[in-house]
Amino acid sequence: MDSLIYLAPLAGIVSLAFAAFFASGVLKEGTGTKEMQDISLAIQEGAMAYLNRQYKTIAVVAIILAALMFFLLGDDSGKIAIGFIVGAAASALAGYVGMNVSIRANVRTAHAASKGLQEAMSVAFRGGAVTGLAVVGLALLGTSGFYIIFGDVDLVIGFGFGASLISLFARVGGGIFTKAADVGADLVGKIEAGIPEDDPRNAGVIADNVGDNVGDCAGMGADLFETYVVTVLASMLLGSLILETYPNAILYPLILGSVAIFASIISMFFVKVGSDGKIMKALYKGVAVSAILCLVAFYFVTDSLMGDMRLYYASIVGIIIMVLMVVFTEYYTSTSFRPVKTIAKASETGAGTNVISGLAIGFESTILPVIIIIAGILGSYFIAGGATDPALGVYGIAIAAAAMLSTTGMIVALDSYGPITDNAGGIAEMAKMPEEVRKITDALDAVGNTTKAVTKGYAIASAALGAMALFADYRYKVNLEAGSLSLDNPIVIVGLLIGALLPFLFTAVTMKAVGKAAFAIVNEVRRQFREIPGIMEGTAKPEYGKCVDIVTAAAIREMVIPGILAIFVPLLVGVVLGPEALGGLLIGIIVAGLLLALTMNNGGGAWDNAKKLIEDGQYGGKGSDAHKAAIVGDTVGDPFKDTSGPALNSLIKVVNMIAILFSSLFIGKGLF
Amino acid sequence: MDSLIYLAPLAGIVSLAFAAFFASGVLKEGTGTKEMQDISLAIQEGAMAYLNRQYKTIAVVAIILAALMFFLLGDDSGKIAIGFIVGAAASALAGYVGMNVSIRANVRTAHAASKGLQEAMSVAFRGGAVTGLAVVGLALLGTSGFYIIFGDVDLVIGFGFGASLISLFARVGGGIFTKAADVGADLVGKIEAGIPEDDPRNAGVIADNVGDNVGDCAGMGADLFETYVVTVLASMLLGSLILETYPNAILYPLILGSVAIFASIISMFFVKVGSDGKIMKALYKGVAVSAILCLVAFYFVTDSLMGDMRLYYASIVGIIIMVLMVVFTEYYTSTSFRPVKTIAKASETGAGTNVISGLAIGFESTILPVIIIIAGILGSYFIAGGATDPALGVYGIAIAAAAMLSTTGMIVALDSYGPITDNAGGIAEMAKMPEEVRKITDALDAVGNTTKAVTKGYAIASAALGAMALFADYRYKVNLEAGSLSLDNPIVIVGLLIGALLPFLFTAVTMKAVGKAAFAIVNEVRRQFREIPGIMEGTAKPEYGKCVDIVTAAAIREMVIPGILAIFVPLLVGVVLGPEALGGLLIGIIVAGLLLALTMNNGGGAWDNAKKLIEDGQYGGKGSDAHKAAIVGDTVGDPFKDTSGPALNSLIKVVNMIAILFSSLFIGKGLF
């Protein structure tokens, strides 16, 4: 093995070191008044309580799965099972570390806001950067580490599946938690009791703040941890097929990831708000620097390792997809452009037209991303030489996906910035901080809404591309006769139908779960208003913890069925209908999942900002009928963009991982 | 050619004769007071004005397409172009005849309601039966007639494409018209002015009543006309591939269709409301008799023509799919079961939870239909012998689809019954008929809502199966190398993605069109309230015709872009990306279109009935906050179930027809 490979774990360790450096910087900041600290502490306790219960529940599932793997997967089953456990643990650890810093960065951001925008922004961004660097650091360390230790790419699959498992449950559980708390708190607070968002008299308000962290920070972290791992892994697996011509084909994606980590770290120091006060510009500068540094570094890496610049061009395709996904998502979800304005305008004729308009925008918003993904698939395949050598072509697709993920560190930092500033705003509101501080936290939070939307577009596009690469591995693994995955075969069509059905089913189940859990919160907040005298007058404090407990229990309970569904349906289809049907299922789930997720992420983001546009005084302004209509749309958009949509990212990948992992078993047992 | 083939045009003519018989019976009924006649006349004028303009616009497109075909399609292009024109004209004629009777049956049903339920029901059902029999009669007459005249199944494709074209525009244009009028009239009437539905003071009320006819009667008629033609055609084309073993394989689907027509006619005489007053039971009895008679007749037809009873079993699969689709759709959209109750319950916490709940039910409702379609595909394929002879297997799928369509006459009758009773209710309301008459028209109308929902489930399932059969034809036509349609091929995946994207895009465009056109109605009704004094007091009449004109113009304008999109995207994909991508596109559009259409049809139907459940006094009753929330859901559901959802039926089929029609051109020009 080339000694260059040690660069990958080294880069992972460097990334973790910088995560620790940023974390210590954040933790040194002041935490403000006692009141602020109390609120922050309540959020910390709630978030940690949730995360502990979530991981405990996943641990049970993980142990059962590990045992199954150990007994079923033949010779190397021990190694795969260990990889699986470590993969799950690494993903959990990344989530844990990131969350721990996020929920401490929020109060420090609020405190720093009293000094100024630059200071507050610096705390919030560094807080987010911890999660970003922890995610990529542990992902690259784990993937390269297991490859070095086991010396066989196939045995790294266990690690990837561990990452998938956590991602699935973190996305589903976290998504249900965050939106049940948000919707539930809003329904009683804003609508019934007529008190503002983040009002401390609302017993659900801490649960809502906790939810931002478990959804966006831990959930997105686990999601991109998984995408990163499985995409690098898929590239390595596909690389193992072309080793004769490209002896460094397995090493190449790891080294791309390594240099990308250094690029991410450097770019983080470029994120500074200038004197113009433009926050989004500062964040985008970071992304741009990271992408440009990668482009330069990839040139030299490709030249020296592969000697075939077609693969460099494929990596450029990946970077272009990244940029365009950000641009398109921002177009569809920002208050500055037609889509959000259309929804805001439609709110003037009521909730019905607001919802119709938002749904139409959601459906419409699939076009540009799908076209860019199509162009990306075709581009990277043919640029890499797929016309003459299909194996090289799909390797090109995988490299494009890996290149797209080179900015993961920055993207996760951007995303985790969201809940930190959201919480900071909440703390400032609840602690009744002065107006000028609130203005700063509001400005930071407004940008947080955009970064959350934009990173979702990135996450689903990279999930789809990564899953395509995994699918290519599946094909080679099951080694079917040429053409047996053809659309001529009704079994393939049936697989496609089942695969396309799954995202619809998953969406139904997760949306219903949010409804049920939100209803439990509504009842609890109502009960507290009724039974605890003095809440409305501010003389008594609501029992925030009760709401956190309720939504924690509900989210954990509701995440189990979709999780098990995602794991066992592909196994069942594989065993009963065979490898052709399973192949169809994999593609069906990618295609339908991608389209539905785009519809829901963008529709939800657009609804959210249409409400914000009205609250900013346009189309009738706060308190108008248009505003009430926009609140309905936002409520519908909440589970779209934060529960069901993101959960599909994980669904797409986990199903492909299962297919790869168990296909060897099926083949061994003569089931395929 | 076997002389038995003349049974098919004969059955078609008999069907038309019975349509005439039922029509003359309906027209002999009394038309009530002068006031009722005036209202009915206004609806008639509006409906005819719309239909004339719609057909005129389609004629322009049709002539251009016919010219294109004539010049591009080589040797037999003249025959294909003639078939195309006749197919379009036949579909238009069926719509025209059906509508003409429907818009006369409405006032006669209202009048008969003063005599009793049985009498009113008889008029309404016979009115619907005219459309049903006209549709199947003209469809079978045209398909068999062109086959007899040209002696070549391939030349019947032109006729099928003509049917497709009308279906596409009738669905899109009619769907936009009906929901723009409905939503627009409700927005100003019910919500702004606070007057009830169907109130004569609302200037949009006639347009709303016209819309019911152009949407459900003409739209659904054209849709099922097309499904019927293309499915029989697809079976004949697939039959032409197995003529060596089954010399009657082309004849067989035509004879199945012929005996099914006789079964439909007989069964119509069984539709009578008993002394228990159960209307739905009477209608279902008709469907059941029709299905049972078909099952018996198919046995003897199969035995004598094919001598292979496996094909008889395949036809049974088709009938079972029909029955189960009706059952499942009713489960998801009827007030008696969990789904609708869940939505009604969710309305108690506001419009947001109502919409979330309705969307979740819509997504969930895809499961059972997709499972039944999967089982149907696998069942009919393997029962027919697909394991050893794939060509026979796909012929089995086509026969199952054709068998499913054997009840088309009854189903269209059921569907057209909907707008007749809906209009009858409107006329009774507007003409201030006595309370007991209104009770009868309400009872009939309530059932009409169910039949409209149930027939939509049937329509989309048959569209999907019919399109699958067309896809099989496409494969044989383009005659690709084995395995070139494999999911290994990135071009196929790209085709799938484009195909799956189209229904999302189509949904976005049609939903936006409804919003725009509804807005025009809102402004016009507002203007009339403002400028015509005495409307609200009932001393002056609103100008109903203006609203009809506005929504007519808007619907015609808005139907053009989606129509052209549906026609040119597949051509473009075929020419630019090749036959593999086009094959992927066809399957992508079927899979995504089926799932989205089910979601929207069932979600929309469930929302509608959740509102009805509340209006019947449950969950707060009329005027409660829950009722207001349910109205929002119903408004969202309107374009779902009556515009975008049904439009996908046509989209699925027309794209497959285009692929078949032009593939020979592409091959000839060396483009494939």
Side-chain angles (χ1 to χ4, degrees), chain B residues 250-334:
Chain B
I250 297 179
L251 185 61
Y252 179 54
L254 288 173
I255 302 305
L256 290 183
S258 309
V259 298
I261 280 187
F262 295 113
S264 287
I265 294 171
I266 294 169
S267 66
M268 283 172 179
F269 290 96
F270 282 82
V271 178
K272 280 207 171 65
V273 182
S275 52
D276 57 0
K278 289 192 173 154
I279 308 165
M280 201 65 221
K281 198 179 116 189
L283 293 169
Y284 278 153
K285 199 163 72 184
V287 178
V289 169
S290 155
I292 291 167
L293 288 177
C294 282
L295 277 182
V296 174
F298 288 1
Y299 179 87
F300 296 104
V301 171
T302 312
D303 190 34
S304 64
L305 280 186
M306 309 296 281
D308 183 342
M309 296 320 276
R310 294 179 299 178
L311 292 168
Y312 175 61
Y313 304 134
S315 78
I316 295 180
V317 169
I319 304 266
I320 294 173
I321 297 176
M322 188 272 291
V323 172
L324 289 181
M325 281 305 298
V326 168
V327 172
F328 294 154
T329 312
E330 179 153 1
Y331 173 73
Y332 271 102
T333 57
S334 147

Side-chain angles (χ1 to χ4, degrees), chain A residues 101-453:
Chain A
V101 175
S102 269
I103 53 185
R104 285 174 174 78
N106 51 18
V107 66
R108 290 166 172 83
T109 301
H111 176 68
S114 54
K115 293 185 235 160
L117 176 64
Q118 273 88 349
E119 287 79 358
M121 165 75 186
S122 161
V123 177
F125 178 74
R126 281 182 294 157
V130 174
T131 312
L133 292 174
V135 162
V136 286
L138 282 167
L140 194 62
L141 182 61
T143 312
S144 59
F146 273 104
Y147 177 57
I148 292 170
I149 295 167
F150 292 150
D152 180 353
V153 198
D154 275 331
L155 298 178
V156 189
I157 295 176
F159 182 76
F161 184 51
S164 278
L165 186 81
I166 296 283
S167 158
L168 180 70
F169 283 103
R171 268 302 194 196
V172 175
I176 294 171
F177 186 111
T178 177
K179 287 305 118 170
D182 188 3
V183 172
D186 281 0
L187 279 178
V188 251
K190 279 202 231 175
I191 298 174
E192 279 186 25
I195 54 179
E197 204 168 329
D198 289 331
D199 191 296
R201 290 171 293 179
N202 191 329
V205 72
I206 294 290
D208 185 10
N209 279 300
V210 170
D212 293 330
N213 290 291
V214 300
D216 272 308
C217 178
M220 180 64 104
D223 184 359
L224 283 174
F225 181 91
E226 181 203 11
T227 306
Y228 193 96
V229 170
V230 302
T231 305
V232 171
L233 178 60
S235 323
M236 293 165 74
L237 285 164
L238 292 170
S240 70
L241 303 171
I242 52 169
L243 284 177
E244 278 190 23
T245 358
Y246 299 93
N248 288 322
I250 297 179
L251 185 61
Y252 180 53
L254 287 173
I255 302 305
L256 290 183
S258 309
V259 298
I261 280 186
F262 296 113
S264 286
I265 294 171
I266 295 169
S267 67
M268 283 172 178
F269 291 95
F270 283 81
V271 177
K272 283 209 169 65
V273 182
S275 52
D276 57 1
K278 289 193 174 155
I279 306 165
M280 202 65 220
K281 199 179 115 189
L283 292 170
Y284 279 152
K285 201 164 71 184
V287 178
V289 170
S290 155
I292 291 166
L293 289 178
C294 281
L295 277 182
V296 175
F298 288 0
Y299 179 89
F300 296 104
V301 171
T302 311
D303 191 36
S304 64
L305 280 185
M306 309 297 281
D308 183 342
M309 296 320 276
R310 293 179 300 179
L311 292 167
Y312 175 62
Y313 305 134
S315 78
I316 296 180
V317 169
I319 304 266
I320 293 174
I321 297 176
M322 188 273 290
V323 173
L324 289 181
M325 280 306 298
V326 168
V327 171
F328 294 155
T329 312
E330 179 152 2
Y331 173 72
Y332 271 101
T333 57
S334 147
T335 49
S336 314
F337 304 103
R338 177 192 58 82
V340 170
K341 286 181 186 162
T342 311
I343 299 176
K345 173 92 190 132
S347 312
E348 291 179 338
T349 36
T353 40
N354 166 290
V355 174
I356 290 177
S357 169
L359 286 168
I361 293 292
F363 286 122
E364 185 194 311
S365 75
T366 55
I367 305 172
L368 294 174
V370 170
I371 289 176
I372 200 61
I373 288 169
I374 286 172
I377 291 173
L378 288 180
S380 52
Y381 181 84
F382 286 108
I383 286 174
T388 49
D389 181 353
L392 189 57
V394 290
Y395 185 69
I397 296 177
I399 291 303
M404 184 174 180
L405 286 160
S406 62
T407 47
T408 298
M410 264 308 287
I411 296 282
V412 175
L414 246 65
D415 189 73
S416 300
Y417 162 95
I420 294 174
T421 55
D422 190 334
N423 274 206
I427 292 170
E429 164 90 35
M430 289 165 76
K432 302 187 188 58
M433 292 178 75
E435 184 61 26
E436 67 263 27
V437 175
R438 293 249 37 194
K439 257 196 195 149
I440 289 176
T441 58
D442 278 355
L444 291 172
D445 186 24
V447 170
N449 270 335
T450 308
T451 63
K452 279 187 283 184

Side-chain angles (χ1 to χ4, degrees), chain A residues 356 360 363-364 366-367 374 381 475 483 485 487-488 490 493-494 498 500-501 504-505 508 512 587 591 595 599 635, chain B residues 356 360 363-364 366-367 374 381 475 483 485 487-488 490 493-494 498 500-501 504-505 508 512 587 591 595 599 635:
Chain A
I356 290 177
F363 286 122
E364 185 194 311
T366 55
I367 305 172
I374 286 172
Y381 181 84
R475 283 197 299 104
L485 280 177
L487 299 175
D488 298 18
I493 302 273
V494 163
I498 298 174
L501 176 63
F504 282 76
L505 177 57
K512 281 206 288 188
I587 290 296
V591 170
L595 283 160
T599 301
T635 308
Chain B
I356 290 177
F363 286 123
E364 185 195 310
T366 55
I367 304 171
I374 286 171
Y381 181 84
R475 282 197 298 105
L485 279 178
L487 299 175
D488 299 17
I493 302 272
V494 164
I498 299 174
L501 176 63
F504 283 76
L505 178 56
K512 282 206 288 190
I587 290 296
V591 170
L595 282 160
T599 302
T635 308

Side-chain angles (χ1 to χ4, degrees), chain A residues 185 188-189 193-206 429-430 432 525-526 528-529 532 534-544 547:
Chain A
V188 251
I195 54 179
E197 204 168 329
D198 289 331
D199 191 296
R201 290 171 293 179
N202 191 329
V205 72
I206 294 290
E429 164 90 35
M430 289 165 76
K432 302 187 188 58
V525 179
R526 278 186 189 154
Q528 295 199 16
F529 275 137
I532 306 175
I535 287 189
M536 273 307 266
E537 297 72 31
T539 55
K541 258 195 163 180
E543 298 166 15
Y544 301 120
C547 285

